[in-house]
Amino acid sequence: MTINPDPTSAPDIPAVLRQLQSDPQRGLSSPEAARRLAQYGANAIPEKRLSPIRQFLGYFWGPIPWMIEIAAVLSAVVAHWADFAIIMTLLLVNAGVGFWQEHKAGNAIAMLQRKLALRARVLRDGLWQEIAAQDLVPGDTILLKLGNIIPADVLLLSGDYLSVDQSVLTGESLPVDKGRGDGAYSGSIVGKGEMQGVVTATGLQTFFGKTAQLVERAESVSHFRKAVLAIGNFLIVSALVLIAVILFVALAIRHEPMVRTILFALVLTVAAIPVALPAVLSVTMAVGAERLARLKAIVSRLVAIEEMAGMDVLCADKTGTLTQNRLTLGEPVVIGAQDAEELILAAALASERDTGDPIDTAVLGGLPASAPLASYSVLKYQPFDPVSKRSEAEVAAGAERFRVAKGAPQVILDLAQPDVGTRQTVTRQIDALAEKGYRTLGVARKDGDGTWRFLGLLPLFDPPREDSAQTIAAGQRMGIDIKMVTGDHLAIAKQVSTLLHLGQNIVPAEALSTDVHAAQTQAEQADGFAQVFPEHKFAIVKALQARGHIVGMTGDGVNDAPALKQADVGIAVSGATDAARAAADLVLTAPGLTVIVDAVEEARRIFARMNSYAIYRIAETIRVLLFMSLSILVFNFYPVTAVMIVMIALLNDFPIMMIAYDNAPTAPQPVRWDMTRVLIISILLGVLGVVASFSLFWIAETYLHLPAGVIRTLIFLKLLVAGHLTIFLTRNTGAIWQRPWPSWSFFNVTIATKVIGTFAAVYGWLIPPIGWGYALLVWAYALAWFLINSGAKIIAYRALGAYRKSTTH
């Protein structure tokens, strides 16, 4: 029953309504809507999702699983059944842990996406109500207005007009005007106007749905993720090169047994390569997104979390973000009206009731009780839009007909065109009110075919939020330069900026230089921007980015979407339009700036966890792979068996995954990826680990005269204990006892895996036993080197100028 009207010809509206069995006066009944939803399906583009079974089996397919599987087969060929059992356990645990964590991450992201789902205003059972856009069905009557993303293909039935941006679908760069009888496509954005329409197609039957089936959307990779993946690739290549050398020496020069050598090389490769890297990335991001959602900040693009950690400039909307967005009407300034009541009444007639618009609410709230509002009928209403900057109504009172308008004072002055003296008087009043922090509305009236008459000014005041000044100070202490952005008059911007201690260098948007470099300097040095139009926001973001800043931008309107998209972190504030939310990386569900500062703190903690994992992973690979390679190549001694390597890899999986849940320090300044520092610290810790391992090998062989099997178990236990202690070292830049201390879950899992490994070494589970005496000796040895490594780390960070005390969280 879905209908796609031919856009080249005017459709027969009554025929379409009959075919859809739709009544635009009452809408569909709830039972009929439910029946159609069951028949036609949800109004959504279905995502291709693997079944859980196929998703789980996917963990057995790929280069890393292939290596583990080949190692298992080789173990079976040479009848090393203990090796076979442990290698298969590693394979199953890797798959199980990866599947479970990725599954939880996927569920978390799906939950957040449901919170961001589009809503639609629909007529059901004769009543207007708001429902999820995915529940729309063909034949529904819906309301479309400024800022809406059109949720389905629609035939427009009534209303003045719509200006629709459908560039995402058709490539048209200019908005398209639509009227009664025109079709509007799903996915396009309402830029101006308000109309009602009937849904003609949903889901895959829409123009957008049919197009979406032809393309696949790819998510961009952030700078941080590229860097971490580059580390992974570096480690893989390094491991393969060293293992190739080992194979050449063992097989071509020493003529050792091929199957045993290849088996050992494969297992060593598995231990050296960062198998858990993708899962750690995904889980850490998903856990962070869940925490941000609890802070009333919903992430729509996960990689934005990483960008937020480095954000050093935030362009914040004044209205609703820095201020309460709760306007109060001040003392009216009468110019051409008979009295204040006539002035407020005219403004009230040019306002919409029950829409929640703050300006209209303030005007209607200031109307005297004696004003005869009910005796007037509004024949035609044109809502406010960002281009015309005014609202207008045609009004009837008995036989009398007149028009009223309210909006930006300069716009209303241009509409009324008063004499020079009146214009100067009005301008002086606007400036005087602005200095007191008032925003002003101009009001005009036109009787019959006469000219417009400027009635006067209505002062409105939007007080700063109680927490704004404190939150701005907190953000500045975190190294974020907060710049106020407002469309208001320069004097109002300066007044609010003074109250918030933001500084007085407020630049009017039209004063920005036309010279690119000069404009960039102006934007960087400004404390805020006044009289800003949406196109100015985009230019401001570009200018700041050109100076090397990571820029956050807040917005709520359809015309803010380009700036939100351009910003490194686009933030749709509470109550934003669908278009702004769709363009943003972060959607706030609570008003004010506090949420953003909290989100930045959380993002920096997430960055710290990822940085900790990167340093640990590089150091661990250097420590294990370099020690193994040198032992084999120089001393012709295999320091651990293949089973021991698999056990180390197996026991490493659990604490690594718990990094995502660990407490982490909050950097006092914006953080960016510093590959040089990461590599220096990693190489330092890795090389110290190699020295410690060789020292233990030398002590065990030269002084203790232990047999080779016991030495291998000592080395196994030392690698396991020291490796997990390295995780504690990489958590911060200072001493290990500095806060934040490890979370209980991270600490308990890490200690538990070391204890299990210790019992395996003491009692000889699949490896030669060493007893409690040697086991405790290894623990003491590892702890001594742990303190040495900690001191070396602190000295290195100080030398790099990166030492800092961690903040408590």
Side-chain angles (χ1 to χ4, degrees):
M1 193 174 67
T2 57
I3 299 171
N4 291 97
D6 182 357
T8 62
S9 61
D12 183 344
I13 292 177
V16 171
L17 292 174
R18 283 195 301 273
Q19 192 171 352
L20 289 169
Q21 299 176 25
S22 177
D23 178 2
Q25 303 305 315
R26 288 193 51 80
L28 299 176
S29 66
S30 295
E32 176 61 17
R35 187 189 68 78
R36 294 189 187 190
L37 185 63
Q39 180 180 357
Y40 297 106
N43 177 37
I45 309 301
E47 296 182 34
K48 290 183 179 179
R49 288 189 171 230
L50 292 176
S51 68
I53 293 175
R54 290 189 62 186
Q55 191 179 357
F56 178 71
L57 292 176
Y59 284 90
F60 298 92
W61 186 261
I64 301 296
W66 292 340
M67 290 180 188
I68 302 175
E69 288 155 10
I70 292 171
V73 170
L74 290 175
S75 297
V77 168
V78 295
H80 288 180
W81 298 113
D83 293 17
F84 175 79
I86 294 179
I87 291 171
M88 287 302 297
T89 301
L90 171 67
L91 184 65
L92 291 170
V93 168
N94 267 338
V97 171
F99 169 77
W100 175 244
Q101 296 291 356
E102 293 271 13
H103 181 67
K104 284 204 304 181
N107 288 344
I109 299 309
M111 178 192 71
L112 296 177
Q113 287 174 340
R114 284 196 294 272
K115 290 185 179 180
L116 290 177
L118 291 179
R119 309 287 292 176
R121 191 79 175 163
V122 63
L123 185 63
R124 294 263 178 96
D125 301 315
L127 299 172
W128 285 103
Q129 52 191 283
E130 192 174 88
I131 66 169
Q134 68 174 13
D135 293 334
L136 289 175
V137 295
D140 265 328
T141 301
I142 63 172
L143 178 66
L144 301 172
K145 59 195 303 185
L146 171 69
N148 287 163
I149 293 178
I150 298 176
D153 283 0
V154 175
L155 177 65
L156 300 175
L157 302 177
S158 62
D160 292 335
Y161 77 106
L162 286 184
S163 178
V164 177
D165 176 3
Q166 52 189 38
S167 57
V168 70
L169 300 174
T170 64
E172 297 168 280
S173 58
L174 297 175
V176 179
D177 288 335
K178 304 274 187 180
R180 185 176 184 273
D182 290 332
Y185 296 131
S186 170
S188 50
I189 300 169
V190 179
K192 287 191 288 186
E194 183 175 312
M195 291 190 74
Q196 292 180 22
V198 62
V199 174
T200 58
T202 59
L204 289 174
Q205 297 306 310
T206 63
F207 181 83
F208 178 80
K210 292 173 180 176
T211 306
Q213 295 179 77
L214 304 177
V215 297
E216 291 184 1
R217 301 177 68 183
E219 183 178 301
S220 61
V221 180
S222 69
H223 302 304
F224 180 72
R225 184 167 293 197
K226 285 179 181 176
V228 174
L229 292 176
I231 289 173
N233 294 335
F234 168 75
L235 294 177
I236 290 171
V237 171
S238 301
L240 293 178
V241 168
L242 281 173
I243 286 165
V245 173
I246 290 173
L247 286 173
F248 175 77
V249 171
L251 298 177
I253 298 177
R254 295 175 180 164
H255 306 291
E256 295 181 4
M258 178 179 292
V259 173
R260 192 192 72 171
T261 304
I262 292 175
L263 172 62
F264 186 85
L266 281 170
V267 174
L268 185 57
T269 304
V270 170
I273 288 175
V275 180
L277 181 63
V280 170
L281 279 169
S282 299
V283 173
T284 303
M285 290 296 130
V287 169
E290 283 187 285
R291 287 174 175 160
L292 288 174
R294 288 197 292 271
L295 296 172
K296 307 294 184 185
I298 300 175
V299 179
S300 60
R301 191 174 66 100
L302 279 183
V303 293
I305 294 174
E306 300 153 10
E307 305 290 359
M308 210 183 319
M311 182 176 73
D312 59 340
V313 175
L314 174 63
C315 297
D317 254 348
K318 178 184 76 68
T319 305
T321 303
L322 300 176
T323 61
Q324 296 181 22
N325 198 18
R326 181 180 54 81
L327 296 177
T328 304
L329 192 63
E331 187 65 30
V333 178
V334 177
I335 303 291
Q338 294 179 4
D339 52 30
E341 183 174 311
E342 182 191 1
L343 174 59
I344 300 173
L345 177 62
L349 290 170
S351 303
E352 279 188 291
R353 304 183 199 181
D354 304 322
T355 61
D357 180 84
I359 293 177
D360 289 355
T361 301
V363 170
L364 291 163
L367 192 67
S370 59
L373 187 63
S375 61
Y376 294 92
S377 299
V378 177
L379 304 177
K380 187 178 180 182
Y381 180 76
Q382 178 184 321
F384 177 90
D385 69 75
V387 177
S388 68
K389 286 191 172 289
R390 74 174 194 263
S391 61
E392 191 175 318
E394 185 177 338
V395 182
E400 184 186 11
R401 297 286 191 277
F402 62 93
R403 292 164 69 186
V404 288
K406 78 174 194 307
Q410 297 300 331
V411 170
I412 302 300
L413 279 172
D414 291 341
L415 182 69
Q417 295 184 342
D419 57 66
V420 175
T422 301
R423 183 180 285 268
Q424 290 176 345
T425 299
V426 171
T427 302
R428 282 196 300 270
Q429 291 283 358
I430 293 170
D431 292 339
L433 289 166
E435 288 176 4
K436 298 176 183 177
Y438 284 98
R439 177 180 178 180
T440 47
L441 279 179
V443 184
R445 171 171 170 155
K446 178 181 179 182
D447 295 302
D449 295 327
T451 58
W452 284 96
R453 180 165 50 97
F454 192 88
L455 298 182
L457 297 169
L458 293 180
L460 299 166
F461 180 61
D462 181 15
R465 294 178 55 84
E466 293 178 358
D467 60 349
S468 287
Q470 182 180 352
T471 305
I472 286 169
Q476 290 170 337
R477 286 194 297 272
M478 294 171 66
I480 303 173
D481 182 10
I482 298 175
K483 301 178 185 292
M484 182 175 68
V485 180
T486 178
D488 282 339
H489 193 276
L490 176 62
I492 295 177
K494 286 190 173 182
Q495 174 72 7
V496 174
S497 184
T498 299
L499 295 172
L500 297 175
H501 310 295
L502 273 174
Q504 289 295 294
N505 185 19
I506 308 297
V507 179
E510 65 268 17
L512 285 169
S513 174
T514 54
D515 177 75
V516 174
H517 295 293
Q520 291 170 5
T521 302
Q522 278 182 298
E524 189 173 42
Q525 295 176 350
D527 297 315
F529 307 90
Q531 295 158 228
V532 170
F533 283 85
E535 58 269 24
H536 295 136
K537 286 188 175 184
F538 183 84
I540 289 166
V541 171
K542 291 274 287 183
L544 290 167
Q545 287 174 328
R547 301 288 282 194
H549 295 287
I550 294 181
V551 183
M553 169 64 79
T554 71
D556 62 355
V558 60
N559 287 321
D560 292 330
L564 294 175
K565 200 75 175 174
Q566 176 62 34
D568 298 288
V569 186
I571 303 167
V573 298
S574 177
T577 60
D578 293 341
R581 287 163 40 135
D585 306 306
L586 194 70
V587 179
L588 307 185
T589 58
L593 202 63
T594 307
V595 185
I596 300 174
V597 174
D598 290 342
V600 169
E601 288 183 346
E602 184 60 37
R604 291 184 187 180
R605 285 194 286 272
I606 293 166
F607 190 98
R609 293 184 189 103
M610 295 307 306
N611 192 65
S612 169
Y613 171 72
I615 295 173
Y616 161 75
R617 186 62 261 185
I618 298 172
E620 184 73 359
T621 297
I622 292 171
R623 191 169 63 93
V624 172
L625 194 58
L626 195 58
F627 172 62
M628 299 277 191
S629 303
L630 291 175
S631 297
I632 295 168
L633 297 175
V634 177
F635 299 104
N636 193 22
F637 178 75
Y638 286 79
V640 290
T641 63
V643 170
M644 292 175 181
I645 295 174
V646 174
M647 288 175 69
I648 290 172
L650 188 63
L651 292 170
N652 275 347
D653 271 354
F654 297 97
I656 284 173
M657 282 299 177
M658 296 311 295
I659 288 174
Y661 302 91
D662 187 24
N663 298 326
T666 301
Q669 297 294 317
V671 287
R672 298 200 186 187
W673 185 250
D674 189 342
M675 181 70 79
T676 301
R677 189 177 73 175
V678 167
L679 287 175
I680 289 173
I681 300 299
S682 301
I683 291 170
L684 173 67
L685 295 176
V687 170
L688 286 173
V690 172
V691 172
S693 297
F694 273 117
S695 298
L696 180 63
F697 171 61
W698 178 66
I699 291 169
E701 187 179 51
T702 305
Y703 287 96
L704 301 178
H705 305 293
L706 297 175
V710 174
I711 291 176
R712 289 189 177 97
T713 304
L714 287 177
I715 296 295
F716 157 79
L717 185 57
K718 186 268 172 189
L719 290 176
L720 177 68
V721 173
H724 288 182
L725 289 175
T726 302
I727 300 178
F728 293 111
L729 280 180
T730 62
R731 295 180 64 256
N732 59 26
T733 61
I736 54 171
W737 55 79
Q738 284 184 349
R739 294 191 176 191
W741 296 331
S743 68
W744 276 112
S745 56
F746 173 73
F747 181 80
N748 290 338
V749 169
T750 305
I751 296 300
T753 51
K754 284 203 281 281
V755 170
I756 291 170
T758 302
F759 274 93
V762 169
Y763 296 110
W765 298 343
L766 305 173
I767 56 179
I770 59 173
W772 280 108
Y774 285 132
L776 294 175
L777 178 67
V778 170
W779 268 85
Y781 183 82
L783 287 170
W785 272 98
F786 176 64
L787 296 176
I788 294 170
N789 292 344
S790 179
K793 177 200 75 171
I794 293 173
I795 293 170
Y797 272 122
R798 283 177 173 166
L800 293 168
Y803 175 79
R804 61 175 181 268
K805 288 187 177 181
S806 304
T807 53
T808 302
H809 280 282

